[in-house]
Amino acid sequence: MGMTLSEIDTRFGTANDPDFSHGNCLPVTALPFAMNHFVPQTNGNRGSWWFHPDDRMLEGFRLTHQPSPWVGDFATFIVQPISGNDEPKSIYQARTSYRQQTAVFQPDYLRLESERYHLTTQLVPSIYGAALKITYQQDRPGLLLHLPRRQSFEQIDTKRLSLA
């Protein structure tokens, strides 16, 4: 009998830092041969080691092209679902703890529950991007986009953004 995708936890092998490596894996959610990959970012202050499975904080969902932390990342952005009266101006201000015991990290599906914003985010990858489903439990739903380089975005309609 083979293993199914729902039995895979992509966090295995991701407890890495520059001093000690378990393979420098990332918990990537993407389709095979896709243009973009998605990983929750837990600490952007660590340079290329911006995800660690023991971190309790979430800075958002990062679109990444990083093949290895030794190479670095390019053409990236971060999206963080937010809600309530908070209006954070940066990824650091928007951080939230998430429920690690209920988090789902699979090759084809991410699901995280934000404790600060009382919301659940599900991410399903596509060839060129991903679909997000955000279930808000309080008023004032929103998204914080962090575009680290001089990128821009256009809102196509109420459910789609195009980034350039």
Side-chain angles (χ1 to χ4, degrees), residues 118-151:
H118 306 286
L119 57 85
T120 300
T121 304
Q122 299 174 75
L123 183 144
V124 177
S126 67
I127 281 289
Y128 297 108
L132 283 176
K133 179 180 180 183
I134 306 164
T135 306
Y136 292 95
Q137 297 175 10
Q138 58 185 38
D139 293 336
R140 299 198 54 186
L143 288 175
L144 177 68
L145 294 178
H146 175 70
L147 307 169
R149 293 179 180 80
R150 294 178 189 233
Q151 300 166 327

PDB file of all heavy atoms in Angstrom, residues 118-151:
ATOM      1  N   HIS A 118      -8.474  35.310  15.046  1.00  0.00           N
ATOM      2  CA  HIS A 118      -9.645  34.426  15.113  1.00  0.00           C
ATOM      3  C   HIS A 118     -10.149  34.075  13.715  1.00  0.00           C
ATOM      4  O   HIS A 118     -11.297  34.325  13.366  1.00  0.00           O
ATOM      5  CB  HIS A 118     -10.762  35.054  15.941  1.00  0.00           C
ATOM      6  CG  HIS A 118     -10.314  35.465  17.300  1.00  0.00           C
ATOM      7  ND1 HIS A 118     -10.066  34.568  18.313  1.00  0.00           N
ATOM      8  CD2 HIS A 118     -10.028  36.693  17.821  1.00  0.00           C
ATOM      9  CE1 HIS A 118      -9.660  35.212  19.390  1.00  0.00           C
ATOM     10  NE2 HIS A 118      -9.619  36.505  19.120  1.00  0.00           N
ATOM     11  N   LEU A 119      -9.250  33.510  12.918  1.00  0.00           N
ATOM     12  CA  LEU A 119      -9.605  33.123  11.566  1.00  0.00           C
ATOM     13  C   LEU A 119      -8.872  31.851  11.179  1.00  0.00           C
ATOM     14  O   LEU A 119      -7.879  31.483  11.795  1.00  0.00           O
ATOM     15  CB  LEU A 119      -9.317  34.247  10.560  1.00  0.00           C
ATOM     16  CG  LEU A 119      -7.892  34.790  10.462  1.00  0.00           C
ATOM     17  CD1 LEU A 119      -7.038  33.966   9.525  1.00  0.00           C
ATOM     18  CD2 LEU A 119      -7.942  36.229   9.987  1.00  0.00           C
ATOM     19  N   THR A 120      -9.388  31.193  10.171  1.00  0.00           N
ATOM     20  CA  THR A 120      -8.762  29.990   9.622  1.00  0.00           C
ATOM     21  C   THR A 120      -8.458  30.256   8.164  1.00  0.00           C
ATOM     22  O   THR A 120      -9.320  30.731   7.420  1.00  0.00           O
ATOM     23  CB  THR A 120      -9.698  28.775   9.747  1.00  0.00           C
ATOM     24  OG1 THR A 120      -9.997  28.569  11.132  1.00  0.00           O
ATOM     25  CG2 THR A 120      -9.049  27.526   9.177  1.00  0.00           C
ATOM     26  N   THR A 121      -7.224  29.972   7.751  1.00  0.00           N
ATOM     27  CA  THR A 121      -6.819  30.147   6.362  1.00  0.00           C
ATOM     28  C   THR A 121      -6.487  28.789   5.771  1.00  0.00           C
ATOM     29  O   THR A 121      -5.754  28.005   6.368  1.00  0.00           O
ATOM     30  CB  THR A 121      -5.581  31.063   6.247  1.00  0.00           C
ATOM     31  OG1 THR A 121      -5.871  32.299   6.886  1.00  0.00           O
ATOM     32  CG2 THR A 121      -5.227  31.314   4.792  1.00  0.00           C
ATOM     33  N   GLN A 122      -7.052  28.528   4.598  1.00  0.00           N
ATOM     34  CA  GLN A 122      -6.738  27.332   3.832  1.00  0.00           C
ATOM     35  C   GLN A 122      -6.131  27.775   2.508  1.00  0.00           C
ATOM     36  O   GLN A 122      -6.619  28.722   1.890  1.00  0.00           O
ATOM     37  CB  GLN A 122      -7.998  26.517   3.570  1.00  0.00           C
ATOM     38  CG  GLN A 122      -8.677  26.045   4.852  1.00  0.00           C
ATOM     39  CD  GLN A 122      -9.990  25.374   4.560  1.00  0.00           C
ATOM     40  OE1 GLN A 122     -10.010  24.241   4.098  1.00  0.00           O
ATOM     41  NE2 GLN A 122     -11.079  26.076   4.828  1.00  0.00           N
ATOM     42  N   LEU A 123      -5.068  27.108   2.094  1.00  0.00           N
ATOM     43  CA  LEU A 123      -4.384  27.443   0.851  1.00  0.00           C
ATOM     44  C   LEU A 123      -4.275  26.182   0.012  1.00  0.00           C
ATOM     45  O   LEU A 123      -3.838  25.140   0.502  1.00  0.00           O
ATOM     46  CB  LEU A 123      -2.990  28.003   1.143  1.00  0.00           C
ATOM     47  CG  LEU A 123      -2.181  28.466  -0.067  1.00  0.00           C
ATOM     48  CD1 LEU A 123      -1.354  29.693   0.301  1.00  0.00           C
ATOM     49  CD2 LEU A 123      -1.279  27.390  -0.610  1.00  0.00           C
ATOM     50  N   VAL A 124      -4.698  26.296  -1.249  1.00  0.00           N
ATOM     51  CA  VAL A 124      -4.591  25.205  -2.215  1.00  0.00           C
ATOM     52  C   VAL A 124      -3.826  25.765  -3.415  1.00  0.00           C
ATOM     53  O   VAL A 124      -4.233  26.781  -3.994  1.00  0.00           O
ATOM     54  CB  VAL A 124      -5.974  24.689  -2.647  1.00  0.00           C
ATOM     55  CG1 VAL A 124      -5.849  23.611  -3.694  1.00  0.00           C
ATOM     56  CG2 VAL A 124      -6.748  24.179  -1.438  1.00  0.00           C
ATOM     57  N   PRO A 125      -2.708  25.143  -3.785  1.00  0.00           N
ATOM     58  CA  PRO A 125      -1.887  25.684  -4.873  1.00  0.00           C
ATOM     59  C   PRO A 125      -2.488  25.408  -6.251  1.00  0.00           C
ATOM     60  O   PRO A 125      -3.276  24.484  -6.434  1.00  0.00           O
ATOM     61  CB  PRO A 125      -0.564  24.938  -4.711  1.00  0.00           C
ATOM     62  CG  PRO A 125      -0.966  23.620  -4.136  1.00  0.00           C
ATOM     63  CD  PRO A 125      -2.124  23.917  -3.224  1.00  0.00           C
ATOM     64  N   SER A 126      -2.078  26.241  -7.191  1.00  0.00           N
ATOM     65  CA  SER A 126      -2.402  26.024  -8.607  1.00  0.00           C
ATOM     66  C   SER A 126      -1.090  26.118  -9.389  1.00  0.00           C
ATOM     67  O   SER A 126      -0.045  26.366  -8.812  1.00  0.00           O
ATOM     68  CB  SER A 126      -3.410  27.069  -9.090  1.00  0.00           C
ATOM     69  OG  SER A 126      -2.824  28.358  -9.097  1.00  0.00           O
ATOM     70  N   ILE A 127      -1.140  25.956 -10.673  1.00  0.00           N
ATOM     71  CA  ILE A 127       0.088  26.012 -11.482  1.00  0.00           C
ATOM     72  C   ILE A 127       0.784  27.367 -11.358  1.00  0.00           C
ATOM     73  O   ILE A 127       1.990  27.447 -11.246  1.00  0.00           O
ATOM     74  CB  ILE A 127      -0.239  25.706 -12.961  1.00  0.00           C
ATOM     75  CG1 ILE A 127      -0.397  24.209 -13.156  1.00  0.00           C
ATOM     76  CG2 ILE A 127       0.813  26.228 -13.907  1.00  0.00           C
ATOM     77  CD1 ILE A 127       0.901  23.421 -13.064  1.00  0.00           C
ATOM     78  N   TYR A 128       0.020  28.459 -11.358  1.00  0.00           N
ATOM     79  CA  TYR A 128       0.621  29.788 -11.338  1.00  0.00           C
ATOM     80  C   TYR A 128       0.473  30.523 -10.014  1.00  0.00           C
ATOM     81  O   TYR A 128       1.082  31.557  -9.819  1.00  0.00           O
ATOM     82  CB  TYR A 128       0.029  30.654 -12.452  1.00  0.00           C
ATOM     83  CG  TYR A 128       0.334  30.106 -13.813  1.00  0.00           C
ATOM     84  CD1 TYR A 128      -0.659  29.524 -14.581  1.00  0.00           C
ATOM     85  CD2 TYR A 128       1.625  30.141 -14.323  1.00  0.00           C
ATOM     86  CE1 TYR A 128      -0.372  28.997 -15.832  1.00  0.00           C
ATOM     87  CE2 TYR A 128       1.919  29.620 -15.562  1.00  0.00           C
ATOM     88  CZ  TYR A 128       0.917  29.052 -16.318  1.00  0.00           C
ATOM     89  OH  TYR A 128       1.207  28.527 -17.545  1.00  0.00           O
ATOM     90  N   GLY A 129      -0.327  30.032  -9.101  1.00  0.00           N
ATOM     91  CA  GLY A 129      -0.565  30.733  -7.843  1.00  0.00           C
ATOM     92  C   GLY A 129      -1.207  29.816  -6.824  1.00  0.00           C
ATOM     93  O   GLY A 129      -0.802  28.674  -6.664  1.00  0.00           O
ATOM     94  N   ALA A 130      -2.228  30.333  -6.162  1.00  0.00           N
ATOM     95  CA  ALA A 130      -2.923  29.554  -5.149  1.00  0.00           C
ATOM     96  C   ALA A 130      -4.290  30.172  -4.894  1.00  0.00           C
ATOM     97  O   ALA A 130      -4.518  31.346  -5.192  1.00  0.00           O
ATOM     98  CB  ALA A 130      -2.137  29.515  -3.852  1.00  0.00           C
ATOM     99  N   ALA A 131      -5.164  29.368  -4.334  1.00  0.00           N
ATOM    100  CA  ALA A 131      -6.466  29.855  -3.880  1.00  0.00           C
ATOM    101  C   ALA A 131      -6.447  29.869  -2.363  1.00  0.00           C
ATOM    102  O   ALA A 131      -6.007  28.911  -1.732  1.00  0.00           O
ATOM    103  CB  ALA A 131      -7.583  28.949  -4.390  1.00  0.00           C
ATOM    104  N   LEU A 132      -6.885  30.982  -1.794  1.00  0.00           N
ATOM    105  CA  LEU A 132      -7.003  31.115  -0.347  1.00  0.00           C
ATOM    106  C   LEU A 132      -8.472  31.116   0.026  1.00  0.00           C
ATOM    107  O   LEU A 132      -9.281  31.789  -0.616  1.00  0.00           O
ATOM    108  CB  LEU A 132      -6.420  32.451   0.134  1.00  0.00           C
ATOM    109  CG  LEU A 132      -4.925  32.613   0.230  1.00  0.00           C
ATOM    110  CD1 LEU A 132      -4.587  34.042   0.624  1.00  0.00           C
ATOM    111  CD2 LEU A 132      -4.336  31.653   1.227  1.00  0.00           C
ATOM    112  N   LYS A 133      -8.803  30.381   1.066  1.00  0.00           N
ATOM    113  CA  LYS A 133     -10.134  30.464   1.662  1.00  0.00           C
ATOM    114  C   LYS A 133      -9.921  30.866   3.107  1.00  0.00           C
ATOM    115  O   LYS A 133      -9.255  30.167   3.870  1.00  0.00           O
ATOM    116  CB  LYS A 133     -10.864  29.128   1.595  1.00  0.00           C
ATOM    117  CG  LYS A 133     -12.244  29.199   2.222  1.00  0.00           C
ATOM    118  CD  LYS A 133     -12.968  27.871   2.146  1.00  0.00           C
ATOM    119  CE  LYS A 133     -14.334  28.004   2.784  1.00  0.00           C
ATOM    120  NZ  LYS A 133     -15.035  26.707   2.798  1.00  0.00           N
ATOM    121  N   ILE A 134     -10.471  32.014   3.462  1.00  0.00           N
ATOM    122  CA  ILE A 134     -10.277  32.553   4.803  1.00  0.00           C
ATOM    123  C   ILE A 134     -11.636  32.607   5.488  1.00  0.00           C
ATOM    124  O   ILE A 134     -12.570  33.208   4.966  1.00  0.00           O
ATOM    125  CB  ILE A 134      -9.643  33.954   4.757  1.00  0.00           C
ATOM    126  CG1 ILE A 134      -8.352  33.912   3.941  1.00  0.00           C
ATOM    127  CG2 ILE A 134      -9.385  34.464   6.165  1.00  0.00           C
ATOM    128  CD1 ILE A 134      -7.844  35.265   3.511  1.00  0.00           C
ATOM    129  N   THR A 135     -11.746  31.960   6.634  1.00  0.00           N
ATOM    130  CA  THR A 135     -12.975  31.960   7.412  1.00  0.00           C
ATOM    131  C   THR A 135     -12.777  32.888   8.597  1.00  0.00           C
ATOM    132  O   THR A 135     -12.024  32.571   9.523  1.00  0.00           O
ATOM    133  CB  THR A 135     -13.316  30.533   7.890  1.00  0.00           C
ATOM    134  OG1 THR A 135     -13.336  29.665   6.755  1.00  0.00           O
ATOM    135  CG2 THR A 135     -14.655  30.500   8.589  1.00  0.00           C
ATOM    136  N   TYR A 136     -13.434  34.049   8.539  1.00  0.00           N
ATOM    137  CA  TYR A 136     -13.298  35.060   9.580  1.00  0.00           C
ATOM    138  C   TYR A 136     -14.353  34.839  10.656  1.00  0.00           C
ATOM    139  O   TYR A 136     -15.492  34.510  10.347  1.00  0.00           O
ATOM    140  CB  TYR A 136     -13.478  36.459   8.984  1.00  0.00           C
ATOM    141  CG  TYR A 136     -12.371  36.871   8.050  1.00  0.00           C
ATOM    142  CD1 TYR A 136     -12.478  36.699   6.680  1.00  0.00           C
ATOM    143  CD2 TYR A 136     -11.219  37.453   8.547  1.00  0.00           C
ATOM    144  CE1 TYR A 136     -11.460  37.094   5.824  1.00  0.00           C
ATOM    145  CE2 TYR A 136     -10.196  37.856   7.702  1.00  0.00           C
ATOM    146  CZ  TYR A 136     -10.326  37.670   6.339  1.00  0.00           C
ATOM    147  OH  TYR A 136      -9.319  38.063   5.508  1.00  0.00           O
ATOM    148  N   GLN A 137     -13.976  35.044  11.916  1.00  0.00           N
ATOM    149  CA  GLN A 137     -14.914  34.918  13.026  1.00  0.00           C
ATOM    150  C   GLN A 137     -15.189  36.259  13.689  1.00  0.00           C
ATOM    151  O   GLN A 137     -15.913  36.323  14.672  1.00  0.00           O
ATOM    152  CB  GLN A 137     -14.370  33.932  14.069  1.00  0.00           C
ATOM    153  CG  GLN A 137     -14.226  32.536  13.526  1.00  0.00           C
ATOM    154  CD  GLN A 137     -13.566  31.609  14.529  1.00  0.00           C
ATOM    155  OE1 GLN A 137     -13.370  31.949  15.692  1.00  0.00           O
ATOM    156  NE2 GLN A 137     -13.211  30.431  14.075  1.00  0.00           N
ATOM    157  N   GLN A 138     -14.577  37.324  13.197  1.00  0.00           N
ATOM    158  CA  GLN A 138     -14.847  38.648  13.741  1.00  0.00           C
ATOM    159  C   GLN A 138     -14.917  39.658  12.601  1.00  0.00           C
ATOM    160  O   GLN A 138     -14.613  39.342  11.458  1.00  0.00           O
ATOM    161  CB  GLN A 138     -13.842  39.056  14.809  1.00  0.00           C
ATOM    162  CG  GLN A 138     -12.391  39.084  14.382  1.00  0.00           C
ATOM    163  CD  GLN A 138     -11.467  39.391  15.564  1.00  0.00           C
ATOM    164  OE1 GLN A 138     -11.690  38.947  16.683  1.00  0.00           O
ATOM    165  NE2 GLN A 138     -10.425  40.154  15.311  1.00  0.00           N
ATOM    166  N   ASP A 139     -15.324  40.876  12.932  1.00  0.00           N
ATOM    167  CA  ASP A 139     -15.541  41.918  11.935  1.00  0.00           C
ATOM    168  C   ASP A 139     -14.237  42.438  11.349  1.00  0.00           C
ATOM    169  O   ASP A 139     -13.162  42.180  11.848  1.00  0.00           O
ATOM    170  CB  ASP A 139     -16.299  43.093  12.571  1.00  0.00           C
ATOM    171  CG  ASP A 139     -17.715  42.707  12.966  1.00  0.00           C
ATOM    172  OD1 ASP A 139     -18.257  41.754  12.386  1.00  0.00           O
ATOM    173  OD2 ASP A 139     -18.271  43.364  13.870  1.00  0.00           O
ATOM    174  N   ARG A 140     -14.389  43.213  10.288  1.00  0.00           N
ATOM    175  CA  ARG A 140     -13.303  43.898   9.599  1.00  0.00           C
ATOM    176  C   ARG A 140     -12.269  42.949   9.024  1.00  0.00           C
ATOM    177  O   ARG A 140     -11.090  42.984   9.375  1.00  0.00           O
ATOM    178  CB  ARG A 140     -12.660  44.932  10.508  1.00  0.00           C
ATOM    179  CG  ARG A 140     -13.682  45.993  10.929  1.00  0.00           C
ATOM    180  CD  ARG A 140     -13.086  47.216  11.431  1.00  0.00           C
ATOM    181  NE  ARG A 140     -12.143  47.735  10.432  1.00  0.00           N
ATOM    182  CZ  ARG A 140     -11.356  48.764  10.647  1.00  0.00           C
ATOM    183  NH1 ARG A 140     -11.382  49.382  11.785  1.00  0.00           N
ATOM    184  NH2 ARG A 140     -10.527  49.168   9.721  1.00  0.00           N
ATOM    185  N   PRO A 141     -12.680  42.078   8.119  1.00  0.00           N
ATOM    186  CA  PRO A 141     -11.714  41.179   7.474  1.00  0.00           C
ATOM    187  C   PRO A 141     -10.779  41.954   6.560  1.00  0.00           C
ATOM    188  O   PRO A 141     -11.146  42.989   6.006  1.00  0.00           O
ATOM    189  CB  PRO A 141     -12.593  40.224   6.677  1.00  0.00           C
ATOM    190  CG  PRO A 141     -13.830  41.003   6.389  1.00  0.00           C
ATOM    191  CD  PRO A 141     -14.024  41.904   7.584  1.00  0.00           C
ATOM    192  N   GLY A 142      -9.556  41.441   6.416  1.00  0.00           N
ATOM    193  CA  GLY A 142      -8.609  42.101   5.529  1.00  0.00           C
ATOM    194  C   GLY A 142      -7.405  41.228   5.226  1.00  0.00           C
ATOM    195  O   GLY A 142      -7.257  40.127   5.757  1.00  0.00           O
ATOM    196  N   LEU A 143      -6.564  41.741   4.351  1.00  0.00           N
ATOM    197  CA  LEU A 143      -5.306  41.095   3.988  1.00  0.00           C
ATOM    198  C   LEU A 143      -4.202  42.138   4.043  1.00  0.00           C
ATOM    199  O   LEU A 143      -4.375  43.260   3.556  1.00  0.00           O
ATOM    200  CB  LEU A 143      -5.356  40.541   2.558  1.00  0.00           C
ATOM    201  CG  LEU A 143      -6.189  39.318   2.284  1.00  0.00           C
ATOM    202  CD1 LEU A 143      -6.199  39.020   0.786  1.00  0.00           C
ATOM    203  CD2 LEU A 143      -5.651  38.127   3.041  1.00  0.00           C
ATOM    204  N   LEU A 144      -3.082  41.755   4.626  1.00  0.00           N
ATOM    205  CA  LEU A 144      -1.896  42.596   4.589  1.00  0.00           C
ATOM    206  C   LEU A 144      -0.953  41.966   3.573  1.00  0.00           C
ATOM    207  O   LEU A 144      -0.608  40.793   3.684  1.00  0.00           O
ATOM    208  CB  LEU A 144      -1.227  42.655   5.965  1.00  0.00           C
ATOM    209  CG  LEU A 144       0.076  43.454   6.023  1.00  0.00           C
ATOM    210  CD1 LEU A 144      -0.199  44.942   5.810  1.00  0.00           C
ATOM    211  CD2 LEU A 144       0.779  43.234   7.344  1.00  0.00           C
ATOM    212  N   LEU A 145      -0.568  42.735   2.562  1.00  0.00           N
ATOM    213  CA  LEU A 145       0.392  42.274   1.559  1.00  0.00           C
ATOM    214  C   LEU A 145       1.737  42.916   1.825  1.00  0.00           C
ATOM    215  O   LEU A 145       1.826  44.127   2.038  1.00  0.00           O
ATOM    216  CB  LEU A 145      -0.064  42.644   0.151  1.00  0.00           C
ATOM    217  CG  LEU A 145      -1.321  41.978  -0.366  1.00  0.00           C
ATOM    218  CD1 LEU A 145      -1.659  42.498  -1.755  1.00  0.00           C
ATOM    219  CD2 LEU A 145      -1.167  40.484  -0.378  1.00  0.00           C
ATOM    220  N   HIS A 146       2.774  42.099   1.819  1.00  0.00           N
ATOM    221  CA  HIS A 146       4.133  42.600   1.980  1.00  0.00           C
ATOM    222  C   HIS A 146       4.882  42.293   0.691  1.00  0.00           C
ATOM    223  O   HIS A 146       5.112  41.136   0.352  1.00  0.00           O
ATOM    224  CB  HIS A 146       4.809  41.923   3.170  1.00  0.00           C
ATOM    225  CG  HIS A 146       6.239  42.300   3.331  1.00  0.00           C
ATOM    226  ND1 HIS A 146       6.632  43.568   3.727  1.00  0.00           N
ATOM    227  CD2 HIS A 146       7.376  41.598   3.148  1.00  0.00           C
ATOM    228  CE1 HIS A 146       7.949  43.607   3.783  1.00  0.00           C
ATOM    229  NE2 HIS A 146       8.428  42.431   3.435  1.00  0.00           N
ATOM    230  N   LEU A 147       5.207  43.344  -0.047  1.00  0.00           N
ATOM    231  CA  LEU A 147       5.942  43.223  -1.298  1.00  0.00           C
ATOM    232  C   LEU A 147       7.343  43.769  -1.042  1.00  0.00           C
ATOM    233  O   LEU A 147       7.553  44.987  -1.062  1.00  0.00           O
ATOM    234  CB  LEU A 147       5.240  44.002  -2.408  1.00  0.00           C
ATOM    235  CG  LEU A 147       3.758  43.667  -2.609  1.00  0.00           C
ATOM    236  CD1 LEU A 147       3.095  44.666  -3.524  1.00  0.00           C
ATOM    237  CD2 LEU A 147       3.608  42.264  -3.130  1.00  0.00           C
ATOM    238  N   PRO A 148       8.336  42.902  -0.767  1.00  0.00           N
ATOM    239  CA  PRO A 148       9.648  43.386  -0.326  1.00  0.00           C
ATOM    240  C   PRO A 148      10.425  44.170  -1.373  1.00  0.00           C
ATOM    241  O   PRO A 148      11.250  44.991  -1.032  1.00  0.00           O
ATOM    242  CB  PRO A 148      10.392  42.111   0.063  1.00  0.00           C
ATOM    243  CG  PRO A 148       9.688  41.018  -0.621  1.00  0.00           C
ATOM    244  CD  PRO A 148       8.271  41.463  -0.810  1.00  0.00           C
ATOM    245  N   ARG A 149      10.172  43.926  -2.622  1.00  0.00           N
ATOM    246  CA  ARG A 149      10.849  44.692  -3.668  1.00  0.00           C
ATOM    247  C   ARG A 149       9.824  45.606  -4.322  1.00  0.00           C
ATOM    248  O   ARG A 149       8.665  45.601  -3.981  1.00  0.00           O
ATOM    249  CB  ARG A 149      11.493  43.736  -4.661  1.00  0.00           C
ATOM    250  CG  ARG A 149      12.621  42.973  -3.973  1.00  0.00           C
ATOM    251  CD  ARG A 149      13.292  41.984  -4.891  1.00  0.00           C
ATOM    252  NE  ARG A 149      14.348  41.276  -4.215  1.00  0.00           N
ATOM    253  CZ  ARG A 149      14.171  40.236  -3.395  1.00  0.00           C
ATOM    254  NH1 ARG A 149      12.964  39.815  -3.131  1.00  0.00           N
ATOM    255  NH2 ARG A 149      15.187  39.641  -2.830  1.00  0.00           N
ATOM    256  N   ARG A 150      10.233  46.368  -5.257  1.00  0.00           N
ATOM    257  CA  ARG A 150       9.316  47.316  -5.895  1.00  0.00           C
ATOM    258  C   ARG A 150       8.357  46.595  -6.834  1.00  0.00           C
ATOM    259  O   ARG A 150       8.465  46.684  -8.047  1.00  0.00           O
ATOM    260  CB  ARG A 150      10.093  48.380  -6.644  1.00  0.00           C
ATOM    261  CG  ARG A 150      10.883  49.242  -5.710  1.00  0.00           C
ATOM    262  CD  ARG A 150      11.685  50.244  -6.483  1.00  0.00           C
ATOM    263  NE  ARG A 150      12.584  50.897  -5.563  1.00  0.00           N
ATOM    264  CZ  ARG A 150      12.654  52.197  -5.434  1.00  0.00           C
ATOM    265  NH1 ARG A 150      11.941  52.973  -6.179  1.00  0.00           N
ATOM    266  NH2 ARG A 150      13.483  52.721  -4.562  1.00  0.00           N
ATOM    267  N   GLN A 151       7.439  45.887  -6.224  1.00  0.00           N
ATOM    268  CA  GLN A 151       6.410  45.183  -6.978  1.00  0.00           C
ATOM    269  C   GLN A 151       5.106  45.943  -6.808  1.00  0.00           C
ATOM    270  O   GLN A 151       4.962  46.785  -5.937  1.00  0.00           O
ATOM    271  CB  GLN A 151       6.243  43.745  -6.451  1.00  0.00           C
ATOM    272  CG  GLN A 151       7.514  42.924  -6.558  1.00  0.00           C
ATOM    273  CD  GLN A 151       7.427  41.646  -5.738  1.00  0.00           C
ATOM    274  OE1 GLN A 151       6.804  41.586  -4.700  1.00  0.00           O
ATOM    275  NE2 GLN A 151       8.083  40.608  -6.229  1.00  0.00           N
TER     276      GLN A 151
END
